[in-house]
Amino acid sequence: MDLVIRNASEVVTCDGPLEARAEETLGRLPNSVIGVKNGKIAFLGPESSLPASNATIIDARGGFVGPGFVDCHTHVVFAGDRSDEFEQRCQGKTYLEIAAAGGGIARTVSATRKATEDELVALAKPRLGRLLAQGVTTAEVKSGYGLDVRSELAMLQAIRRLSAEQPIELVATFLGLHAVPVEFKQHRTEWIRICIDELLPLIVKSGLATFCDAFVEQSAFTHDEARMLGERARELGIPLRLHVDQLTANGGAQLASELGAVTADHLEQITPDGIAALKRSGTIAVLAPTSTLFAKARPFAPGRALRDAGVPVALCTNCNPGSSNSESVSLAMGLACVENGLTPAEAYLGFTRVGALALRRPELGRITVGGPADLVVFACDSYRALPYHLAMNEVSVTLKAGRVATHTT
Ligand code: NIG
């Protein structure tokens, strides 16, 4: 063994049956130690069975150990600041009113276009550092603040570089259909054509993104426009995700289901028909409760109804400058319990096992012998303490691929 984690209250493997009650899926193992070799989990079991070695010891000091968190929806690569829009929302303006007046995504696009790739990398690093401090070991990052060919590619290049230059593994998503760029307002179909016929094939060929995505909303794109993207994505073999039913009820969940999207994200305004559609297609619901809070986009998504209908529910920070200026996994988990109606076990799975499935990375978000040693040692002794200690950080040590990435105590 290279490294052994001992003296944990329990190991929460998240490796129980997925169809079972969340508390069973957690697969909690008391009195277990974890052995790590070559970045993988090599041993999981009682200390008495651990093969002798002169491994580095991490003493969990009675805290619990779980898989590294997977934050499956972020926009952490951007330039600029929109604190004035937050102030306007606090004074009563809505997210959509601010966007209609030229603010919103367009503001961040204009700042991001002016930034160099080096600047985008430098600006994103501290955000990723804060996610890492929260126990995140894998994160998805979207483009969508460039919205011209050069700037979208610069964002994706920045994501690729960031994945190599700091501990969190990044999964890139091409979000060319995030907003209609100002210069295409009078001929939006031309921007959609550029995304679908030029950028998407290039991105697939160069492997610059793993997913593509579109924002279906009255301020952004229509069903038919997202359908064009979805059909082209299917031809090119790149899986689709969709931002839907966030600010207005737009039947987006049904669209995500029709297009076979891997995930339908946001869902504050989803209807019972939308929930049934997600269940039929096996589409994962990704909830972003910090953005519901921050964008004042009530109600919170019906997490309870989604879970009760058998829809897998993942959680994310949705860290971005407009609707969720937060890297707090702990706040997202707390809100998921208090406002989305999830139990602490369901919320924990949303950032682990189900979050990993949202990125089609089933080996992540769980602790299995032979699996990656992406691990978090917590200062508290139970997963329940995470949403209960609202918005506080209980992470003590984070390991990515068997290496200590943060150590805060
Ligand atoms: O996921 N909904 C669309 N995109 C982001 C918000 C982006 C922004 O306001 O800059 C989101 O909430």
Side-chain angles (χ1 to χ4, degrees):
M1 300 296 157
D2 303 326
L3 185 142
V4 167
I5 305 174
R6 60 184 299 273
N7 205 13
S9 60
E10 60 182 12
V11 176
V12 180
T13 65
C14 298
D15 194 36
L18 204 50
E19 308 302 328
R21 287 175 60 246
E23 289 72 14
E24 273 177 62
T25 313
L26 288 182
R28 296 159 66 194
L29 300 177
N31 307 316
S32 289
V33 301
I34 298 178
V36 172
K37 193 164 175 53
N38 297 331
K40 303 250 190 262
I41 294 166
F43 178 85
L44 177 61
E47 189 149 5
S48 53
S49 312
L50 181 72
S53 74
N54 50 6
T56 304
I57 303 290
I58 293 185
D59 184 349
R61 296 188 218 162
F64 83 98
V65 180
F69 288 134
V70 178
D71 188 355
C72 67
H73 177 147
T74 84
H75 306 252
V76 292
V77 172
F78 65 86
D81 171 274
R82 281 159 53 198
S83 50
D84 55 341
E85 294 184 2
F86 177 70
E87 191 168 46
Q88 287 171 35
R89 276 204 301 283
C90 295
Q91 290 162 345
K93 284 226 161 49
T94 68
Y95 181 94
L96 284 176
E97 284 167 354
I98 294 166
I105 294 167
R107 291 267 308 287
T108 303
V109 169
S110 137
T112 302
R113 284 179 179 175
K114 289 187 194 115
T116 63
E117 191 185 301
D118 284 349
E119 285 166 341
L120 291 177
V121 167
L123 286 164
K125 272 187 186 163
R127 297 171 194 137
L128 290 165
R130 287 187 285 273
L131 284 176
L132 183 68
Q134 290 270 325
V136 173
T137 51
T138 305
E140 183 257 21
V141 186
K142 299 176 195 295
S143 70
Y145 288 130
L147 303 190
D148 61 33
V149 170
R150 183 195 65 79
S151 311
E152 280 297 297
L153 293 175
M155 283 193 75
L156 292 170
Q157 290 288 2
I159 297 167
R160 180 176 274 182
R161 270 181 57 191
L162 282 158
S163 194
E165 292 179 17
Q166 53 75 58
I168 300 179
E169 179 182 353
L170 303 183
V171 175
T173 295
F174 169 55
L175 179 55
L177 300 193
H178 196 193
V180 179
V182 271
E183 61 277 23
F184 286 98
K185 283 277 185 236
Q186 302 314 317
H187 39 101
R188 54 190 288 138
T189 50
E190 179 56 8
W191 172 244
I192 296 163
R193 190 199 64 72
I194 291 170
C195 283
I196 291 175
D197 292 341
E198 293 178 22
L199 273 168
L200 193 61
L202 185 70
I203 287 164
V204 170
K205 197 162 169 225
S206 56
L208 271 173
T210 305
F211 295 95
C212 65
D213 198 341
F215 184 19
V216 179
E217 187 52 73
Q218 65 184 37
S219 60
F221 294 92
T222 65
H223 277 221
D224 283 346
E225 290 165 345
R227 205 173 266 118
M228 283 162 68
L229 175 73
E231 283 163 7
R232 191 83 171 104
R234 184 174 303 133
E235 284 165 22
L236 292 167
I238 180 168
L240 179 72
R241 305 182 56 172
L242 288 178
H243 288 60
V244 287
D245 291 324
Q246 180 183 10
L247 303 157
T248 55
N250 50 46
Q254 289 89 324
L255 178 69
S257 164
E258 171 201 321
L259 297 177
V262 180
T263 67
D265 300 47
H266 290 292
L267 302 174
E268 282 85 343
Q269 311 289 339
I270 193 174
T271 59
D273 279 355
I275 295 176
L278 295 186
K279 170 66 183 156
R280 271 198 308 279
S281 54
T283 301
I284 296 173
V286 177
L287 309 189
T290 50
S291 59
T292 320
L293 181 79
F294 192 86
K296 303 181 95 174
R298 303 299 188 274
F300 280 78
R304 181 74 271 127
L306 285 157
R307 283 274 325 190
D308 287 347
V311 176
V313 175
L315 296 175
C316 66
T317 63
N318 186 22
C319 179
N320 76 73
S323 71
S324 180
N325 187 31
S326 173
E327 296 88 353
S328 182
V329 169
S330 46
L331 177 59
M333 242 186 236
L335 287 172
C337 295
V338 176
E339 297 285 5
N340 298 108
L342 299 190
T343 64
E346 290 166 340
Y348 189 71
L349 290 169
F351 268 111
T352 53
R353 179 90 173 262
V354 189
L357 293 176
L359 296 185
R360 291 206 163 158
R361 294 290 301 276
E363 78 283 15
L364 300 176
R366 66 211 292 204
I367 298 178
T368 54
V369 173
D374 292 3
L375 298 164
V376 183
V377 181
F378 293 91
C380 52
D381 65 359
S382 165
Y383 70 90
R384 287 190 197 95
L386 303 185
Y388 174 59
H389 200 181
L390 188 65
M392 291 295 114
N393 191 356
E394 294 283 347
V395 172
S396 169
V397 185
T398 303
L399 290 105
K400 176 66 187 175
R403 287 171 179 238
V404 174
T406 60
H407 196 155
T408 53
T409 52

